[in-house]
Amino acid sequence: MNIKTVDWKRGRMRIVDQTRLPEELVYIECRAPEDVHDALRRLAVRGAPAIGIAAAMGVVLGARRSKAADAAGLMRDVRKAARYIGTARPTAVNLFWALRRMLETAERHRAGGPRALTRLLEREALAILEEDNAVCRGIGRHGAALLRDGDAVLTHCNAGGLATARYGTALAVVYAAHEGGKRIRVYTDETRPLLQGARLTAWELARAGIDTTLICDNMAAKVMGEGRITCVITGADRIAANGDTANKIGTYGLAHLARAHRVPFYIAAPLSTIDPATASGRGIPIEERDPDEVRTFAGRRIAPRRVRVYNPAFDVTPARLISGIITEVGVLRPPYRRSIAAALRRDRR
Amino acid sequence: MNIKTVDWKRGRMRIVDQTRLPEELVYIECRAPEDVHDALRRLAVRGAPAIGIAAAMGVVLGARRSKAADAAGLMRDVRKAARYIGTARPTAVNLFWALRRMLETAERHRAGGPRALTRLLEREALAILEEDNAVCRGIGRHGAALLRDGDAVLTHCNAGGLATARYGTALAVVYAAHEGGKRIRVYTDETRPLLQGARLTAWELARAGIDTTLICDNMAAKVMGEGRITCVITGADRIAANGDTANKIGTYGLAHLARAHRVPFYIAAPLSTIDPATASGRGIPIEERDPDEVRTFAGRRIAPRRVRVYNPAFDVTPARLISGIITEVGVLRPPYRRSIAAALRRDRR
């Protein structure tokens, strides 16, 4: 049912080329670190978990192509591949996390020969992928318990299978409820300026047989006012220790609108998205992006050339507007400082 | 300073071709009813007041081109022109209002010769234009008193000069405050799906020398949360007797967000927008438009071809979320049922 966004087949990485969606479903095979670097760079793969998995597989491809006769030579080639892949998306946290994990694995097993080491690296990359699937399935299972037959979920941006290896976070909840036999309808915001909701979420939901309706971002309030929505579920880019959540621009407004219409507002994200070192949303830096993302579309100008633009990529939703945070270990509830700390403590054991 | 969106020069109607904005400022000269019909049909002129004025001028063009030797013959040609222009935008209320007013003028003066009648029709069309300017200036004057030096206004869609003969409604307030020496900043939502905010509002504000920032619709909440906005002002398509207001989709959400951030939310509209026969917002029908407006962006497909779309063109903001209605006779305040009735009574005297 679900698309395998990132997959590993016979020594090659296979990914969905997201730049071609929704027009066509095209897979790309990557055989060398250069292919992975290119795919990351032109956003053929996106979404923090998917980026991490692709980076790990890129390191494996570097090891497989190495001609080194001993482990030391292989280590040199592996480090070189990791360094190179790290330049593709310099701000992606998951990318560096995955590369570090691969290098640590390599260091631990450098006593073995190059072929054994390559096999171990391949196993580690597949472990990262499997862990992602398990985490997403966990989020789906816990979230699905919140949904009833006939519910209608509003979502924003793409927190779906296309952002992870396969199941997604916010959409994992929908998929799990659907698999459990509940009829769930989804309204998806198109999500300006990059339109991930229209291009990716609408596409993957329709493909999974979910009843899906696309709206413009400014229609969410009306749809809630008409009583069409039973809950809002979005993903997260970073969650602070107090539950404040950074996510795609527009999420903060949806949270206010949900509150005004007495609609529950949930965040769905793995525990790894929680940053206990960030005390509150005030500590989360918000990236401002190129004004031309707003001034143009697909090469066509839609606004005056020199008009000033404000284009923040994310916003921060305060914890008080969040009804629950759906994670792989359960749904965390307010007060979040306590429930988040407890979940992280249990997870570390 | 302000562009003359619709104007009359030496027996011809001159309009700004809004389909060419923001890329270039092109004027079209209309010499015959056919030219006006075409301009209305392809949305070269839009906005209820501007449509009414253009229709009235189309009737004058019909009279001027008539070869009739007597008033009866001219009346036939004038009626024919009015009927034909009426087919261009069959749901536009102002169009029929203007055509009816022109035909009534013709009937009243049919005793005179054809040349005198043509002159009287020309005078009536110019009166409609002048009345629009006076009404918009009145809205501007009353609204400007609400703004202080340094204020920042958020607006939605285009309720500007491009929707009227020259000054606009919501933007008339900004222009009047600016002319009065107040520094006013404006944030304009791009206004999906048809992008009137990006294409038209950003263009006309920048041209008038107003400090303007373009945002996507889903950024309005963040901009308010950052304390950047001191009030929201939008236009209106129809106002019910109790103050409930239909306007471009997205207005309702902005009103909720303004309330949540304690930002005053104003509607700016002529008294003619108030429909005393409509008791409340529940009586206002909301047009649903072509799904392809949402599935495509500036001509390019951005969503799966067959995905279901919900595309309401308007929404209704309940009176309780509206801080004031800025009209040509003053700012109406809650309770609206009373203040609206009083304003209409005074206006009829």
Side-chain angles (χ1 to χ4, degrees):
Chain A
M1 189 196 82
N2 297 87
I3 289 279
K4 292 183 178 175
T5 303
V6 188
D7 201 11
W8 183 255
K9 282 221 165 146
R10 288 179 297 278
R12 293 168 190 171
M13 181 175 83
R14 200 179 80 144
I15 58 162
V16 173
D17 184 350
Q18 298 191 33
T19 65
R20 308 285 283 272
L21 292 175
E23 273 151 351
E24 42 183 355
L25 174 58
V26 178
Y27 290 92
I28 304 172
E29 276 204 350
C30 296
R31 303 169 185 224
E34 290 73 21
D35 303 338
V36 177
H37 182 276
D38 176 62
L40 289 168
R41 190 144 192 107
R42 61 190 195 77
L43 308 186
V45 199
R46 49 157 284 287
I51 286 172
I53 298 162
M57 290 179 174
V59 171
V60 180
L61 294 172
R64 286 177 67 97
R65 290 175 83 86
S66 168
K67 294 189 170 56
D70 58 8
L74 184 67
M75 278 303 297
R76 268 194 305 277
D77 289 342
V78 161
R79 272 199 216 94
K80 202 177 127 199
R83 252 195 321 273
Y84 175 60
I85 292 167
T87 62
R89 296 283 301 273
T91 55
V93 172
N94 280 56
L95 179 68
F96 297 105
W97 168 84
L99 293 173
R100 205 161 44 236
R101 178 162 160 181
M102 293 300 282
L103 289 178
E104 283 167 10
T105 301
E107 291 290 352
R108 260 200 315 280
H109 299 285
R110 61 182 301 166
R115 295 193 50 187
L117 186 45
T118 300
R119 243 191 343 264
L120 283 164
L121 286 172
E122 182 170 331
R123 204 173 292 165
E124 191 70 14
L126 288 173
I128 293 175
L129 182 145
E130 289 306 326
E131 286 165 24
D132 179 70
N133 282 340
V135 161
C136 291
R137 299 291 274 179
I139 290 170
R141 196 172 55 249
H142 290 293
L146 300 170
L147 299 186
R148 283 176 306 187
D149 188 45
D151 272 0
V153 174
L154 175 67
T155 190
H156 190 65
C157 195
N158 178 261
L162 289 168
T164 65
R166 189 164 176 190
Y167 299 105
T169 52
L171 298 193
V173 174
V174 172
Y175 294 138
H178 180 74
E179 282 166 25
K182 295 173 186 164
R183 281 158 306 175
I184 306 293
R185 274 169 305 129
V186 178
Y187 285 81
T188 174
D189 285 345
E190 65 176 8
T191 319
R192 277 284 285 156
L194 297 182
L195 299 163
Q196 295 92 337
R199 293 193 301 109
L200 306 177
T201 300
W203 181 85
E204 75 166 270
L205 286 171
R207 201 166 185 288
I210 310 284
D211 180 336
T212 306
T213 302
L214 173 64
I215 59 173
C216 297
D217 298 299
N218 62 22
M219 296 170 188
K222 180 168 173 61
V223 168
M224 287 190 210
E226 290 169 344
R228 295 178 188 237
I229 305 298
T230 46
C231 72
V232 179
I233 312 179
T234 77
D237 282 84
R238 202 201 290 195
I239 301 174
N242 72 342
D244 291 352
T245 296
N247 190 44
K248 183 64 56 195
I249 185 72
T251 306
Y252 168 66
L254 285 182
H256 268 299
L257 294 172
R259 172 62 52 97
H261 293 91
R262 295 166 198 232
V263 169
F265 177 88
Y266 296 107
I267 296 291
L271 288 182
S272 61
T273 308
I274 299 172
D275 178 8
T278 303
S280 80
R282 274 195 299 278
I284 305 177
I286 299 296
E287 175 191 358
E288 260 196 71
R289 292 176 58 88
D290 185 346
D292 272 339
E293 286 184 356
V294 176
R295 287 192 204 116
T296 64
F297 181 77
R300 188 172 156 191
R301 182 159 301 283
I302 57 163
R305 195 174 302 273
R306 277 190 297 264
V307 69
R308 186 182 307 135
V309 165
Y310 180 49
N311 184 20
F314 306 99
D315 55 29
V316 175
T317 300
R320 68 183 167 84
L321 295 177
I322 300 171
S323 311
I325 300 173
I326 307 167
T327 75
E328 68 270 32
V329 300
V331 180
L332 311 185
R333 297 286 187 177
Y336 291 110
R337 208 179 291 280
R338 199 184 311 168
S339 59
I340 283 176
L344 293 180
R345 234 178 0 252
R346 275 198 305 278
D347 192 52
R348 244 179 257 120
R349 270 190 225 137
Chain B
M1 188 196 83
N2 297 88
I3 289 279
K4 292 185 178 175
T5 303
V6 188
D7 201 10
W8 183 256
K9 283 221 164 144
R10 290 181 293 279
R12 293 167 189 173
M13 180 175 84
R14 200 179 80 143
I15 58 163
V16 173
D17 184 350
Q18 298 192 33
T19 65
R20 307 284 282 274
L21 292 175
E23 273 151 350
E24 42 183 355
L25 173 58
V26 177
Y27 290 91
I28 305 172
E29 276 205 350
C30 297
R31 304 171 184 222
E34 290 71 21
D35 303 337
V36 178
H37 182 276
D38 176 62
L40 289 168
R41 190 143 193 108
R42 60 190 195 77
L43 308 187
V45 199
R46 48 158 284 287
I51 286 172
I53 298 161
M57 290 179 175
V59 171
V60 179
L61 294 173
R64 287 177 67 97
R65 289 175 84 86
S66 168
K67 294 190 171 55
D70 57 8
L74 184 67
M75 279 303 298
R76 269 194 305 276
D77 288 342
V78 161
R79 273 199 214 94
K80 201 177 129 198
R83 252 196 320 273
Y84 175 59
I85 291 166
T87 62
R89 298 282 302 271
T91 55
V93 172
N94 281 55
L95 179 68
F96 297 106
W97 167 84
L99 293 173
R100 205 161 44 237
R101 178 162 160 180
M102 293 299 282
L103 289 178
E104 283 167 9
T105 301
E107 292 289 353
R108 260 200 315 281
H109 299 284
R110 61 182 302 166
R115 295 193 50 187
L117 186 46
T118 299
R119 242 190 346 264
L120 283 164
L121 286 173
E122 183 171 331
R123 202 172 293 166
E124 191 70 16
L126 287 173
I128 293 176
L129 183 145
E130 289 307 325
E131 286 165 25
D132 180 70
N133 283 339
V135 162
C136 291
R137 298 291 275 179
I139 290 170
R141 195 172 56 248
H142 291 292
L146 299 170
L147 299 186
R148 284 176 305 187
D149 188 47
D151 272 1
V153 174
L154 175 67
T155 191
H156 189 66
C157 195
N158 178 261
L162 290 168
T164 64
R166 189 164 177 191
Y167 299 105
T169 53
L171 297 194
V173 175
V174 172
Y175 294 138
H178 180 75
E179 283 165 25
K182 295 174 186 165
R183 281 158 305 175
I184 305 293
R185 274 168 305 128
V186 178
Y187 284 81
T188 174
D189 285 345
E190 65 176 7
T191 318
R192 278 283 283 156
L194 296 182
L195 299 164
Q196 294 93 336
R199 293 192 300 111
L200 306 177
T201 300
W203 181 85
E204 74 165 270
L205 286 172
R207 200 164 187 289
I210 310 284
D211 180 336
T212 306
T213 302
L214 173 65
I215 58 172
C216 297
D217 299 299
N218 62 21
M219 296 169 188
K222 180 170 174 59
V223 169
M224 287 190 210
E226 290 169 346
R228 295 178 187 237
I229 304 297
T230 47
C231 72
V232 179
I233 312 179
T234 78
D237 282 83
R238 202 201 290 197
I239 301 174
N242 72 342
D244 291 352
T245 296
N247 190 44
K248 183 65 57 195
I249 185 74
T251 306
Y252 169 66
L254 285 183
H256 268 298
L257 294 172
R259 173 61 52 98
H261 293 92
R262 295 165 198 229
V263 169
F265 177 89
Y266 295 107
I267 295 292
L271 288 181
S272 62
T273 309
I274 299 172
D275 178 7
T278 303
S280 79
R282 274 195 298 280
I284 304 177
I286 300 296
E287 175 191 358
E288 260 195 71
R289 292 176 58 88
D290 186 346
D292 272 339
E293 288 184 356
V294 176
R295 288 194 201 115
T296 62
F297 193 107
R300 192 177 150 186
R301 179 160 301 281
I302 57 160
R305 197 173 301 274
R306 276 190 298 265
V307 70
R308 186 182 307 134
V309 164
Y310 180 49
N311 184 20
F314 306 99
D315 55 29
V316 175
T317 300
R320 68 182 167 82
L321 296 177
I322 300 171
S323 311
I325 300 174
I326 307 167
T327 75
E328 68 272 30
V329 300
V331 180
L332 311 185
R333 297 285 187 177
Y336 291 110
R337 206 179 292 280
R338 200 183 311 166
S339 59
I340 283 176
L344 293 180
R345 231 176 6 247
R346 275 197 306 278
D347 193 52
R348 243 179 258 120
R349 271 189 225 138

